Amino acid sequence: MSDHKVAYITGGTKGIGFGIAKVLLENGISVAFSGRKRDDVEKAERELKQYSENVLGIVSDVRSLESEEEAVKYTVEKFGRLDFVIANAGLGIFKPVDELTAEEWNDMIDTNLTGVFYTLKASVEELKKTEGYYITVSSLAGANFFENGTGYNASKFGVVGFTQAAMIDLRKHNIKSTVIMPGSVATNFNGNVPSEKDSWKIQPEDMGNLVLDILKMNPRVLPSKIEFRATKPA
């Protein structure tokens, strides 16, 4: 892609977000990404600069609208515009509902669902200017409930519903919107340490290539919801 396109990715210091950033940078898109921890942001920025110098790491917490507004402001100050927003930040805590604490529930809902709204709220006026693209990363858990998944399922079901309703509102402004629902991805999610045992899973760069394919689609078509899974689970 060309014409100086710019993306902002939440949760970009590792895993899916990092994989998306890497692929976009390799394909000529400038990338701003955010994470909660400064050390993680600085480390990821150093690593991503091997693919392109057009990268900006930002410390931001998606649970704060003000923080996301600042992140968008920094992105536009650095690159001059904003074309693509990928709301990827998320976390999972898996316990029986009678053992899940109110704090754990709130942390998942605030990060996984409210954070997706805050990221869009902070960026939508910039996306109107560029007739841009808004992508959220949900999960197959946004359509399939499972044991110990009450908080996570609730947040991810919510992301799917939110993004599809937002899609109807946003297309009136020529902004496209897609929710991606991946299955098992080889990341550090839920304490996993990626290794050869995860080779059957979706890899972070696979998510990056999917996002790139979505962004390259003809403007007349809109893949509003995509389920994305490993071909053959272990």
Side-chain angles (χ1 to χ4, degrees), residues 3 47 86 107 112 117 119 126 128 143 168 188 227 231 234:
D3 301 327
E47 292 173 351
I86 298 95
D107 203 14
N112 298 357
F117 167 65
T119 299
E126 293 297 332
K128 287 178 182 179
I168 298 171
N188 297 91
E227 293 191 359
T231 302

Side-chain angles (χ1 to χ4, degrees), residues 3 12 21 24 29 38 43 61 67 69 71 81 83 93 112 114 160 166 186 195 212 221:
D3 301 327
L24 296 188
I29 298 172
R38 183 169 300 279
K43 178 176 182 290
D61 187 341
S67 186
E69 289 172 338
R81 59 186 290 154
D83 301 273
I93 302 168
N112 298 357
T114 304
V160 174
S195 66
L212 186 66
V221 298

